[in-house]
Amino acid sequence: MSAPEHLVFITGRMAKARLEKVAATLPAERFTWSIADAGVKVAALMTEEIIRRRVTIPAGATRIVLPGRCRANPEALAAHFGLPVERGPDEIVDLPAYLGLAGRTVDLSRHDLRIFSEIVDASKMSPEQILAKGLDLARRGADVIDLGGLPDTDFPHLEECVRLLKGAGLKVSVDSFSLDELTRGAKAGADYLLSLNEETLDLAFETDAVPVLVPVRPDDLASLDRAIARMEKAGKPFMADPILEPIHFGFVDSITRYHETRRRWPGIEMMMGTGNLTELTEADSLGVTALLVGMCSELAIRNVLIVQVSNHTRRTVEEHDAARRVMHAAKADSALPKGYGRALLALHDKRPYVQTPDEIAAQAAEVRDPNYRVAVAEDGIHIYNRDVHKVGTDAMAFFPDLNVAEDGAHAFYLGGELTKAETAWRLGKRYVQDEALVWGAAADAEVEDTTAFKKAGHTKHSGSGAAANAAPEADAGVPETVGPGEAEDADRVSDAPEAPGARIVCGKLVPATET
């Protein structure tokens, strides 16, 4: 049996007790650990220089883990210490899952589902508009750009559009009720044709484009069987789509047809057009998409046709992309689709509160400056500084207690931050001061440089004095590295500040030189 890995967690004084509590739960047969307290109060304020100068790594350490919000460069620190250095999770409560103690290593880099994304009104768009749209859909996660024809609408520039998209390196399908348009698209180089049935199947033998086969009528599964049999006998590639129908118009029966088609033809490629449910059901589409992609995963359906017409499905490409990765990973692990990240959670979080009310109160008791901190726990919104600690559930009700009536910029900042906190509390979402709420695949996540400080905003401190503009080491304690059971004996003697580094302005981590 191999020796346990020795982890060194670098942190600040305020997080040390919580970190020790979580680290103590780590299985001793897999991990031993030490906590390297850099002496600064807030771990997020640690810089590479502070860590290099103030942290001592114990002998036998095998890996160093930084706090998720620490702005130091892991690669530079790895070169300095001669050990692997990595950025851990933002929240201490997520540390066990980060270390793989959820029973699996999450890898969402793979999937086996091809996304066809339809441009529904392609015949009304110019070739340049179609190319721009196709490139955007591909950027969002689409694998095939589907050109949708409209009944009784000419599509004279179809060939030009196919060639433009192909020239840009994109896969193309043509989707039309018109046999003429399908023929023209195939001749122009389309990769797939949507859709052929047993009455129009001859076209499949006149082109190299892969046809998607459908029944003559949705309830006529026998006609789809005959088309499949003909293609199988000829040895030509194809996909079969039994047609997903909307709720109250055959939805349940259509699901059974997918199951029956897979039972009859276990080895064929299949497609599901999910838009008939996401578009025609006024419900948040992320959950609907997760369910349908889960069905595709169970039935080994490796192609979906998606469409975005309604505003409530504006993120359908991203949602299908997220769902296919989660379902693929869960299927590979023979597991439920749980514990594979937050991409499929938009309105609620599985673990919304990272601190208890008592933990927040203990942290508030240590604050010695006038800057307001905002946190959310199960009992509501907490706002505190050295002078006040208030708890409530109505963002606007805090105003009389905050003493910012004469400070418009600060009041504006706190109003926005508290409103965000109220939204998080009411929905059961994670809240982090000065960071956007995470909406999973339903919205783009903010991308930031994790080695750089945030820029200062147009807010200022409430109150005055040295504490308001202190450098990160202004109230630093003696740096120390301790193991299990030693933290309670830690020395709390203060140091004088050694060098200016950064400060928090209304919760934002900024360089000390900015105002």
Side-chain angles (χ1 to χ4, degrees):
M1 183 175 179
S2 60
E5 184 177 9
H6 186 161
L7 305 176
V8 177
F9 303 111
I10 299 180
T11 191
R13 283 189 291 138
M14 292 187 72
K16 185 176 178 182
R18 285 191 295 133
L19 178 56
E20 185 185 39
K21 183 178 179 181
V22 172
T25 68
L26 301 179
E29 68 275 10
R30 289 187 56 182
F31 302 107
T32 60
W33 53 271
S34 301
I35 295 178
D37 177 358
V40 300
K41 181 182 289 185
V42 181
L45 287 172
M46 295 187 301
T47 64
E48 290 170 35
E49 174 60 24
I50 289 174
I51 294 172
R52 284 196 299 265
R53 181 162 40 83
R54 297 177 63 85
V55 169
T56 300
I57 302 300
T62 56
R63 181 166 37 139
I64 300 170
V65 182
L66 301 175
R69 296 190 182 94
C70 175
R71 265 25 192 187
N73 186 329
E75 293 182 1
L77 290 174
H80 173 77
F81 290 115
L83 289 172
V85 179
E86 58 196 53
R87 197 181 307 281
D90 286 351
E91 305 296 347
I92 292 172
V93 295
D94 295 327
L95 189 59
Y98 171 81
L99 293 173
L101 298 177
R104 65 177 70 95
T105 300
V106 175
D107 178 9
L108 300 179
S109 65
R110 298 175 296 164
H111 63 82
D112 60 357
L113 186 71
R114 185 187 290 118
I115 295 175
F116 288 66
S117 186
E118 183 178 0
I119 303 177
V120 295
D121 50 357
S123 58
K124 295 183 178 180
M125 299 170 64
S126 70
E128 293 74 22
Q129 290 173 323
I130 288 173
L131 177 60
K133 180 71 172 178
L135 291 170
D136 180 62
L137 291 170
R139 176 187 64 81
R140 294 172 181 269
D143 302 295
V144 181
I145 307 305
D146 183 62
L147 297 177
L150 296 173
D152 303 319
T153 302
D154 291 335
F155 199 164
H157 51 300
L158 171 60
E159 290 90 343
E160 182 181 358
C161 293
V162 171
R163 287 191 288 266
L164 270 177
L165 292 170
K166 292 288 291 180
L170 301 175
K171 294 288 187 180
V172 182
S173 61
V174 175
D175 190 350
S176 177
F177 292 112
S178 167
L179 196 59
D180 175 65
E181 286 183 349
L182 292 175
T183 302
R184 289 166 51 209
K187 290 181 178 180
D191 301 281
Y192 304 93
L193 299 179
L194 283 68
S195 301
L196 300 179
N197 58 43
E198 67 172 345
E199 296 176 356
T200 58
L201 193 54
D202 287 346
L203 178 58
F205 296 87
E206 301 170 8
T207 174
D208 291 330
V210 176
V212 176
L213 310 182
V214 297
V216 174
R217 298 184 316 277
D219 62 349
D220 186 3
L221 199 57
S223 68
L224 178 60
D225 284 333
R226 291 190 291 269
I228 292 172
R230 184 178 174 191
M231 295 298 291
E232 285 274 88
K233 183 177 180 180
K236 292 182 67 67
F238 66 93
M239 301 177 199
D241 184 355
I243 304 298
L244 186 70
E245 295 188 282
I247 293 172
H248 297 147
F249 291 86
F251 169 63
V252 173
D253 286 342
S254 66
I255 291 295
T256 63
R257 289 197 295 270
Y258 280 96
H259 183 271
E260 180 62 16
T261 299
R262 174 54 75 209
R263 187 190 68 79
R264 296 182 190 182
W265 306 95
I268 67 171
E269 288 288 339
M270 293 180 64
M271 170 181 278
M272 178 184 286
T274 59
N276 277 349
L277 207 64
T278 57
E279 283 286 324
L280 302 178
T281 306
E282 287 193 359
D284 291 329
S285 58
L286 183 54
V288 177
T289 296
L291 180 63
L292 292 176
V293 174
M295 290 181 182
C296 289
S297 182
E298 281 204 3
L299 294 173
I301 297 172
R302 303 198 301 169
N303 304 273
V304 288
L305 173 65
I306 69 174
V307 61
Q308 190 269 302
V309 177
S310 304
N311 284 328
H312 77 281
T313 62
R314 69 185 66 192
R315 297 280 297 184
T316 191
V317 180
E318 291 88 346
E319 291 170 4
H320 279 80
D321 182 50
R324 65 179 172 178
R325 296 174 188 277
V326 169
M327 298 304 168
H328 179 83
K331 188 175 184 177
D333 292 337
S334 299
L336 297 169
K338 298 180 64 177
Y340 289 90
R342 300 164 68 186
L344 301 183
L345 294 171
L347 292 182
H348 316 293
D349 272 318
K350 182 178 178 180
R351 195 169 185 178
Y353 310 119
V354 298
Q355 290 179 276
T356 66
D358 288 344
E359 288 173 336
I360 295 175
Q363 190 165 310
E366 295 188 29
V367 172
R368 299 292 181 266
D369 62 68
N371 299 306
Y372 283 109
R373 281 78 167 174
V374 182
V376 172
E378 193 167 1
D379 62 339
I381 308 159
H382 293 244
I383 183 166
Y384 59 92
N385 65 5
R386 67 185 179 191
D387 303 314
V388 66
H389 180 183
K390 295 291 181 179
V391 183
T393 58
D394 180 352
M396 296 299 105
F398 288 105
F399 181 75
D401 300 310
L402 301 183
N403 192 28
V404 291
E406 305 301 321
D407 186 348
H410 202 177
F412 181 86
Y413 163 79
L414 289 176
E417 203 62 35
L418 288 166
T419 299
K420 184 179 71 179
E422 180 182 342
T423 299
W425 179 77
R426 293 192 181 280
L427 290 176
K429 293 185 65 62
R430 280 200 179 182
Y431 166 84
V432 179
Q433 188 171 357
D434 290 308
E435 295 186 13
L437 297 180
V438 176
W439 301 101
D444 284 333
E446 288 189 351
V447 178
E448 63 175 319
D449 183 355
T450 57
T451 66
F453 290 127
K454 292 178 182 291
K455 293 183 178 180
H458 297 290
T459 61
K460 58 184 178 181
H461 291 275
S462 174
S464 60
N469 293 291
E473 296 181 89
D475 60 351
V478 176
E480 58 187 350
T481 302
V482 300
E486 300 179 58
E488 59 269 23
D489 300 321
D491 187 1
R492 295 303 186 195
V493 178
S494 294
D495 266 350
E498 298 184 42
R503 58 194 177 93
I504 293 181
V505 179
C506 295
K508 288 185 180 294
L509 185 61
V510 301
T513 55
E514 295 194 23
T515 58

